[in-house]
mmCIF file of all heavy atoms in Angstrom:
data_model
loop_
_atom_site.group_PDB
_atom_site.id
_atom_site.type_symbol
_atom_site.label_atom_id
_atom_site.label_comp_id
_atom_site.label_asym_id
_atom_site.label_seq_id
_atom_site.Cartn_x
_atom_site.Cartn_y
_atom_site.Cartn_z
ATOM 1 N N HIS P 1 -16.916 -22.639 4.682
ATOM 2 C CA HIS P 1 -17.518 -21.488 4.006
ATOM 3 C C HIS P 1 -16.373 -20.620 3.496
ATOM 4 O O HIS P 1 -15.385 -20.386 4.213
ATOM 5 C CB HIS P 1 -18.399 -20.691 4.969
ATOM 6 C CG HIS P 1 -19.311 -19.712 4.307
ATOM 7 N ND1 HIS P 1 -18.844 -18.658 3.558
ATOM 8 C CD2 HIS P 1 -20.664 -19.637 4.266
ATOM 9 C CE1 HIS P 1 -19.861 -17.969 3.090
ATOM 10 N NE2 HIS P 1 -20.995 -18.540 3.507
ATOM 11 N N ARG P 2 -16.470 -20.164 2.283
ATOM 12 C CA ARG P 2 -15.399 -19.339 1.694
ATOM 13 C C ARG P 2 -15.112 -18.107 2.553
ATOM 14 O O ARG P 2 -13.960 -17.710 2.708
ATOM 15 C CB ARG P 2 -15.773 -18.912 0.273
ATOM 16 C CG ARG P 2 -15.652 -20.027 -0.748
ATOM 17 C CD ARG P 2 -16.072 -19.526 -2.125
ATOM 18 N NE ARG P 2 -15.867 -20.567 -3.127
ATOM 19 C CZ ARG P 2 -14.773 -20.693 -3.862
ATOM 20 N NH1 ARG P 2 -13.768 -19.863 -3.685
ATOM 21 N NH2 ARG P 2 -14.673 -21.671 -4.737
ATOM 22 N N ALA P 3 -16.162 -17.508 3.074
ATOM 23 C CA ALA P 3 -15.958 -16.300 3.898
ATOM 24 C C ALA P 3 -15.168 -16.626 5.155
ATOM 25 O O ALA P 3 -14.350 -15.812 5.597
ATOM 26 C CB ALA P 3 -17.310 -15.687 4.259
ATOM 27 N N ASP P 4 -15.376 -17.804 5.728
ATOM 28 C CA ASP P 4 -14.627 -18.195 6.916
ATOM 29 C C ASP P 4 -13.137 -18.340 6.588
ATOM 30 O O ASP P 4 -12.271 -17.908 7.351
ATOM 31 C CB ASP P 4 -15.150 -19.519 7.482
ATOM 32 C CG ASP P 4 -16.564 -19.406 8.051
ATOM 33 O OD1 ASP P 4 -16.961 -18.283 8.404
ATOM 34 O OD2 ASP P 4 -17.247 -20.438 8.134
ATOM 35 N N LEU P 5 -12.846 -18.967 5.451
ATOM 36 C CA LEU P 5 -11.445 -19.153 5.058
ATOM 37 C C LEU P 5 -10.780 -17.816 4.751
ATOM 38 O O LEU P 5 -9.637 -17.556 5.164
ATOM 39 C CB LEU P 5 -11.347 -20.094 3.875
ATOM 40 C CG LEU P 5 -9.924 -20.355 3.342
ATOM 41 C CD1 LEU P 5 -9.022 -20.924 4.418
ATOM 42 C CD2 LEU P 5 -9.972 -21.283 2.130
ATOM 43 N N LEU P 6 -11.475 -16.964 4.011
ATOM 44 C CA LEU P 6 -10.899 -15.657 3.677
ATOM 45 C C LEU P 6 -10.623 -14.835 4.932
ATOM 46 O O LEU P 6 -9.569 -14.207 5.063
ATOM 47 C CB LEU P 6 -11.832 -14.902 2.745
ATOM 48 C CG LEU P 6 -11.260 -13.622 2.142
ATOM 49 C CD1 LEU P 6 -10.141 -13.929 1.165
ATOM 50 C CD2 LEU P 6 -12.348 -12.796 1.442
ATOM 51 N N ALA P 7 -11.554 -14.858 5.888
ATOM 52 C CA ALA P 7 -11.359 -14.108 7.137
ATOM 53 C C ALA P 7 -10.165 -14.647 7.910
ATOM 54 O O ALA P 7 -9.388 -13.874 8.500
ATOM 55 C CB ALA P 7 -12.628 -14.168 7.984
ATOM 56 N N LEU P 8 -9.998 -15.954 7.921
ATOM 57 C CA LEU P 8 -8.889 -16.584 8.626
ATOM 58 C C LEU P 8 -7.549 -16.159 8.011
ATOM 59 O O LEU P 8 -6.599 -15.810 8.719
ATOM 60 C CB LEU P 8 -9.086 -18.092 8.535
ATOM 61 C CG LEU P 8 -8.118 -19.071 9.188
ATOM 62 C CD1 LEU P 8 -8.841 -20.405 9.413
ATOM 63 C CD2 LEU P 8 -6.908 -19.327 8.299
ATOM 64 N N LEU P 9 -7.475 -16.177 6.675
ATOM 65 C CA LEU P 9 -6.239 -15.782 5.998
ATOM 66 C C LEU P 9 -5.934 -14.309 6.224
ATOM 67 O O LEU P 9 -4.775 -13.918 6.471
ATOM 68 C CB LEU P 9 -6.350 -16.074 4.501
ATOM 69 C CG LEU P 9 -6.450 -17.557 4.112
ATOM 70 C CD1 LEU P 9 -6.804 -17.688 2.634
ATOM 71 C CD2 LEU P 9 -5.149 -18.291 4.416
ATOM 72 N N ALA P 10 -6.968 -13.471 6.134
ATOM 73 C CA ALA P 10 -6.775 -12.034 6.311
ATOM 74 C C ALA P 10 -6.305 -11.720 7.735
ATOM 75 O O ALA P 10 -5.452 -10.836 7.943
ATOM 76 C CB ALA P 10 -8.050 -11.288 5.989
ATOM 77 N N ALA P 11 -6.853 -12.424 8.721
ATOM 78 C CA ALA P 11 -6.457 -12.179 10.110
ATOM 79 C C ALA P 11 -5.004 -12.564 10.353
ATOM 80 O O ALA P 11 -4.337 -11.988 11.231
ATOM 81 C CB ALA P 11 -7.376 -12.958 11.051
ATOM 82 N N ALA P 12 -4.492 -13.519 9.576
ATOM 83 C CA ALA P 12 -3.112 -13.965 9.762
ATOM 84 C C ALA P 12 -2.109 -13.057 9.063
ATOM 85 O O ALA P 12 -0.907 -13.119 9.354
ATOM 86 C CB ALA P 12 -2.962 -15.390 9.222
ATOM 87 N N PHE P 13 -2.590 -12.186 8.174
ATOM 88 C CA PHE P 13 -1.692 -11.310 7.407
ATOM 89 C C PHE P 13 -1.669 -9.934 8.045
ATOM 90 O O PHE P 13 -2.725 -9.378 8.374
ATOM 91 C CB PHE P 13 -2.160 -11.226 5.957
ATOM 92 C CG PHE P 13 -1.194 -10.556 5.033
ATOM 93 C CD1 PHE P 13 -0.005 -11.182 4.692
ATOM 94 C CD2 PHE P 13 -1.458 -9.305 4.505
ATOM 95 C CE1 PHE P 13 0.902 -10.580 3.833
ATOM 96 C CE2 PHE P 13 -0.564 -8.682 3.649
ATOM 97 C CZ PHE P 13 0.629 -9.323 3.318
ATOM 98 N N PRO P 14 -0.491 -9.334 8.237
ATOM 99 C CA PRO P 14 -0.418 -8.014 8.886
ATOM 100 C C PRO P 14 -1.276 -6.967 8.178
ATOM 101 O O PRO P 14 -1.147 -6.765 6.965
ATOM 102 C CB PRO P 14 1.066 -7.672 8.819
ATOM 103 C CG PRO P 14 1.770 -8.990 8.710
ATOM 104 C CD PRO P 14 0.854 -9.854 7.884
ATOM 105 N N ALA P 15 -2.132 -6.294 8.940
ATOM 106 C CA ALA P 15 -3.071 -5.349 8.342
ATOM 107 C C ALA P 15 -2.370 -4.215 7.625
ATOM 108 O O ALA P 15 -2.888 -3.700 6.615
ATOM 109 C CB ALA P 15 -3.981 -4.790 9.444
ATOM 110 N N GLU P 16 -1.198 -3.797 8.094
ATOM 111 C CA GLU P 16 -0.500 -2.680 7.466
ATOM 112 C C GLU P 16 0.083 -3.045 6.097
ATOM 113 O O GLU P 16 0.481 -2.171 5.338
ATOM 114 C CB GLU P 16 0.617 -2.179 8.379
ATOM 115 C CG GLU P 16 1.783 -3.142 8.583
ATOM 116 C CD GLU P 16 1.550 -4.121 9.719
ATOM 117 O OE1 GLU P 16 0.398 -4.204 10.213
ATOM 118 O OE2 GLU P 16 2.536 -4.796 10.135
ATOM 119 N N ARG P 17 0.072 -4.339 5.779
ATOM 120 C CA ARG P 17 0.571 -4.790 4.473
ATOM 121 C C ARG P 17 -0.565 -5.045 3.468
ATOM 122 O O ARG P 17 -0.302 -5.418 2.327
ATOM 123 C CB ARG P 17 1.396 -6.061 4.641
ATOM 124 C CG ARG P 17 2.688 -5.852 5.416
ATOM 125 C CD ARG P 17 3.464 -7.157 5.602
ATOM 126 N NE ARG P 17 4.755 -6.927 6.240
ATOM 127 C CZ ARG P 17 5.870 -6.609 5.598
ATOM 128 N NH1 ARG P 17 5.851 -6.509 4.267
ATOM 129 N NH2 ARG P 17 6.993 -6.402 6.251
ATOM 130 N N LEU P 18 -1.791 -4.872 3.902
ATOM 131 C CA LEU P 18 -2.943 -5.089 3.042
ATOM 132 C C LEU P 18 -3.558 -3.744 2.662
ATOM 133 O O LEU P 18 -3.996 -2.989 3.527
ATOM 134 C CB LEU P 18 -3.979 -5.954 3.778
ATOM 135 C CG LEU P 18 -5.306 -6.223 3.048
ATOM 136 C CD1 LEU P 18 -5.081 -6.936 1.727
ATOM 137 C CD2 LEU P 18 -6.234 -7.054 3.950
ATOM 138 N N HIS P 19 -3.576 -3.456 1.370
ATOM 139 C CA HIS P 19 -4.002 -2.142 0.881
ATOM 140 C C HIS P 19 -5.295 -2.304 0.069
ATOM 141 O O HIS P 19 -5.273 -2.771 -1.063
ATOM 142 C CB HIS P 19 -2.895 -1.522 0.013
ATOM 143 C CG HIS P 19 -1.548 -1.565 0.684
ATOM 144 N ND1 HIS P 19 -1.202 -0.691 1.705
ATOM 145 C CD2 HIS P 19 -0.473 -2.385 0.499
ATOM 146 C CE1 HIS P 19 0.038 -0.963 2.112
ATOM 147 N NE2 HIS P 19 0.500 -1.983 1.403
ATOM 148 N N LEU P 20 -6.403 -1.898 0.695
ATOM 149 C CA LEU P 20 -7.705 -2.033 0.061
ATOM 150 C C LEU P 20 -8.013 -0.794 -0.799
ATOM 151 O O LEU P 20 -7.423 0.276 -0.604
ATOM 152 C CB LEU P 20 -8.781 -2.212 1.121
ATOM 153 C CG LEU P 20 -8.610 -3.444 2.024
ATOM 154 C CD1 LEU P 20 -9.696 -3.462 3.108
ATOM 155 C CD2 LEU P 20 -8.642 -4.724 1.218
ATOM 156 N N GLY P 21 -8.957 -0.937 -1.716
ATOM 157 C CA GLY P 21 -9.325 0.167 -2.585
ATOM 158 C C GLY P 21 -8.253 0.520 -3.591
ATOM 159 O O GLY P 21 -8.221 1.642 -4.108
ATOM 160 N N HIS P 22 -7.374 -0.428 -3.913
ATOM 161 C CA HIS P 22 -6.294 -0.217 -4.888
ATOM 162 C C HIS P 22 -6.622 -0.982 -6.167
ATOM 163 O O HIS P 22 -6.317 -2.174 -6.280
ATOM 164 C CB HIS P 22 -4.964 -0.683 -4.305
ATOM 165 C CG HIS P 22 -4.290 0.315 -3.423
ATOM 166 N ND1 HIS P 22 -2.945 0.347 -3.194
ATOM 167 C CD2 HIS P 22 -4.811 1.354 -2.718
ATOM 168 C CE1 HIS P 22 -2.655 1.342 -2.389
ATOM 169 N NE2 HIS P 22 -3.774 1.957 -2.075
ATOM 170 N N ARG P 23 -7.250 -0.308 -7.103
ATOM 171 C CA ARG P 23 -7.619 -0.926 -8.385
ATOM 172 C C ARG P 23 -6.478 -0.788 -9.376
ATOM 173 O O ARG P 23 -6.098 0.316 -9.749
ATOM 174 C CB ARG P 23 -8.886 -0.272 -8.942
ATOM 175 C CG ARG P 23 -9.350 -0.838 -10.294
ATOM 176 C CD ARG P 23 -10.643 -0.186 -10.726
ATOM 177 N NE ARG P 23 -10.497 1.261 -10.869
ATOM 178 C CZ ARG P 23 -10.059 1.862 -11.989
ATOM 179 N NH1 ARG P 23 -9.707 1.154 -13.053
ATOM 180 N NH2 ARG P 23 -9.963 3.189 -12.005
ATOM 181 N N LEU P 24 -5.915 -1.923 -9.771
ATOM 182 C CA LEU P 24 -4.791 -1.899 -10.707
ATOM 183 C C LEU P 24 -5.248 -1.432 -12.085
ATOM 184 O O LEU P 24 -6.250 -1.916 -12.614
ATOM 185 C CB LEU P 24 -4.182 -3.303 -10.822
ATOM 186 C CG LEU P 24 -2.904 -3.374 -11.665
ATOM 187 C CD1 LEU P 24 -1.709 -2.866 -10.861
ATOM 188 C CD2 LEU P 24 -2.646 -4.814 -12.137
ATOM 189 N N THR P 25 -4.513 -0.469 -12.652
ATOM 190 C CA THR P 25 -4.819 0.008 -14.008
ATOM 191 C C THR P 25 -3.731 -0.319 -15.011
ATOM 192 O O THR P 25 -3.942 -0.234 -16.219
ATOM 193 C CB THR P 25 -5.054 1.527 -14.002
ATOM 194 O OG1 THR P 25 -3.886 2.193 -13.486
ATOM 195 C CG2 THR P 25 -6.282 1.880 -13.155
ATOM 196 N N GLY P 26 -2.557 -0.695 -14.535
ATOM 197 C CA GLY P 26 -1.473 -1.025 -15.454
ATOM 198 C C GLY P 26 -0.216 -1.395 -14.709
ATOM 199 O O GLY P 26 -0.098 -1.177 -13.492
ATOM 200 N N ILE P 27 0.732 -2.004 -15.403
ATOM 201 C CA ILE P 27 2.034 -2.336 -14.825
ATOM 202 C C ILE P 27 3.134 -1.956 -15.812
ATOM 203 O O ILE P 27 2.930 -1.988 -17.021
ATOM 204 C CB ILE P 27 2.142 -3.834 -14.462
ATOM 205 C CG1 ILE P 27 1.875 -4.715 -15.678
ATOM 206 C CG2 ILE P 27 1.205 -4.186 -13.332
ATOM 207 C CD1 ILE P 27 2.069 -6.192 -15.418
ATOM 208 N N THR P 28 4.277 -1.592 -15.285
ATOM 209 C CA THR P 28 5.449 -1.280 -16.094
ATOM 210 C C THR P 28 6.657 -2.036 -15.521
ATOM 211 O O THR P 28 7.010 -1.835 -14.361
ATOM 212 C CB THR P 28 5.758 0.219 -16.082
ATOM 213 O OG1 THR P 28 4.594 0.948 -16.457
ATOM 214 C CG2 THR P 28 6.899 0.537 -17.046
ATOM 215 N N ASP P 29 7.216 -2.926 -16.335
ATOM 216 C CA ASP P 29 8.392 -3.688 -15.904
ATOM 217 C C ASP P 29 9.627 -2.926 -16.373
ATOM 218 O O ASP P 29 9.904 -2.832 -17.571
ATOM 219 C CB ASP P 29 8.364 -5.098 -16.492
ATOM 220 C CG ASP P 29 9.426 -6.004 -15.880
ATOM 221 O OD1 ASP P 29 10.406 -5.472 -15.335
ATOM 222 O OD2 ASP P 29 9.267 -7.240 -15.963
ATOM 223 N N HIS P 30 10.368 -2.362 -15.437
ATOM 224 C CA HIS P 30 11.546 -1.581 -15.757
ATOM 225 C C HIS P 30 12.815 -2.421 -15.810
ATOM 226 O O HIS P 30 13.922 -1.875 -15.910
ATOM 227 C CB HIS P 30 11.721 -0.462 -14.724
ATOM 228 C CG HIS P 30 10.668 0.613 -14.822
ATOM 229 N ND1 HIS P 30 10.678 1.608 -15.773
ATOM 230 C CD2 HIS P 30 9.546 0.816 -14.073
ATOM 231 C CE1 HIS P 30 9.632 2.392 -15.601
ATOM 232 N NE2 HIS P 30 8.927 1.932 -14.572
ATOM 233 N N GLY P 31 12.670 -3.729 -15.731
ATOM 234 C CA GLY P 31 13.844 -4.597 -15.738
ATOM 235 C C GLY P 31 14.379 -4.844 -14.345
ATOM 236 O O GLY P 31 14.487 -5.977 -13.896
ATOM 237 N N SER P 32 14.717 -3.765 -13.629
ATOM 238 C CA SER P 32 15.222 -3.893 -12.272
ATOM 239 C C SER P 32 14.101 -3.898 -11.240
ATOM 240 O O SER P 32 14.303 -4.293 -10.097
ATOM 241 C CB SER P 32 16.186 -2.741 -11.960
ATOM 242 O OG SER P 32 15.505 -1.495 -12.060
ATOM 243 N N HIS P 33 12.908 -3.440 -11.620
ATOM 244 C CA HIS P 33 11.755 -3.434 -10.725
ATOM 245 C C HIS P 33 10.481 -3.307 -11.561
ATOM 246 O O HIS P 33 10.527 -2.993 -12.754
ATOM 247 C CB HIS P 33 11.845 -2.264 -9.728
ATOM 248 C CG HIS P 33 11.782 -0.918 -10.367
ATOM 249 N ND1 HIS P 33 12.882 -0.302 -10.957
ATOM 250 C CD2 HIS P 33 10.738 -0.045 -10.521
ATOM 251 C CE1 HIS P 33 12.521 0.875 -11.443
ATOM 252 N NE2 HIS P 33 11.234 1.055 -11.177
ATOM 253 N N VAL P 34 9.330 -3.566 -10.914
ATOM 254 C CA VAL P 34 8.024 -3.478 -11.574
ATOM 255 C C VAL P 34 7.192 -2.425 -10.872
ATOM 256 O O VAL P 34 7.052 -2.458 -9.641
ATOM 257 C CB VAL P 34 7.287 -4.834 -11.531
ATOM 258 C CG1 VAL P 34 5.937 -4.739 -12.253
ATOM 259 C CG2 VAL P 34 8.134 -5.949 -12.114
ATOM 260 N N ARG P 35 6.633 -1.529 -11.668
ATOM 261 C CA ARG P 35 5.783 -0.475 -11.101
ATOM 262 C C ARG P 35 4.318 -0.816 -11.344
ATOM 263 O O ARG P 35 3.899 -1.075 -12.476
ATOM 264 C CB ARG P 35 6.125 0.886 -11.715
ATOM 265 C CG ARG P 35 5.220 2.035 -11.230
ATOM 266 C CD ARG P 35 5.851 3.378 -11.577
ATOM 267 N NE ARG P 35 7.090 3.547 -10.813
ATOM 268 C CZ ARG P 35 7.952 4.540 -11.045
ATOM 269 N NH1 ARG P 35 7.735 5.418 -12.010
ATOM 270 N NH2 ARG P 35 9.054 4.641 -10.298
ATOM 271 N N ALA P 36 3.533 -0.801 -10.280
ATOM 272 C CA ALA P 36 2.081 -0.995 -10.377
ATOM 273 C C ALA P 36 1.396 0.370 -10.372
ATOM 274 O O ALA P 36 1.735 1.234 -9.548
ATOM 275 C CB ALA P 36 1.594 -1.826 -9.209
ATOM 276 N N HIS P 37 0.458 0.559 -11.276
ATOM 277 C CA HIS P 37 -0.302 1.812 -11.387
ATOM 278 C C HIS P 37 -1.734 1.548 -10.914
ATOM 279 O O HIS P 37 -2.365 0.567 -11.340
ATOM 280 C CB HIS P 37 -0.306 2.315 -12.831
ATOM 281 C CG HIS P 37 1.058 2.521 -13.405
ATOM 282 N ND1 HIS P 37 1.694 3.746 -13.399
ATOM 283 C CD2 HIS P 37 1.911 1.654 -14.001
ATOM 284 C CE1 HIS P 37 2.885 3.628 -13.988
ATOM 285 N NE2 HIS P 37 3.029 2.362 -14.368
ATOM 286 N N PHE P 38 -2.266 2.439 -10.096
ATOM 287 C CA PHE P 38 -3.596 2.244 -9.512
ATOM 288 C C PHE P 38 -4.566 3.353 -9.937
ATOM 289 O O PHE P 38 -4.150 4.434 -10.364
ATOM 290 C CB PHE P 38 -3.493 2.153 -7.988
ATOM 291 C CG PHE P 38 -2.645 1.005 -7.533
ATOM 292 C CD1 PHE P 38 -1.346 1.212 -7.073
ATOM 293 C CD2 PHE P 38 -3.127 -0.297 -7.579
ATOM 294 C CE1 PHE P 38 -0.548 0.163 -6.657
ATOM 295 C CE2 PHE P 38 -2.341 -1.364 -7.165
ATOM 296 C CZ PHE P 38 -1.046 -1.136 -6.717
ATOM 297 N N GLY P 39 -5.834 3.051 -9.766
ATOM 298 C CA GLY P 39 -6.887 3.947 -10.243
ATOM 299 C C GLY P 39 -6.897 5.297 -9.582
ATOM 300 O O GLY P 39 -7.416 6.272 -10.157
#
């Protein structure tokens, strides 16, 4: 079941590195780094 696989992957990834409610609105590539813009 897709939900089972997604839950398994999410449990294996550190929770502090997963940022929910972050809707991407744009990106800017500055050459040395990339900036993500959120809603």
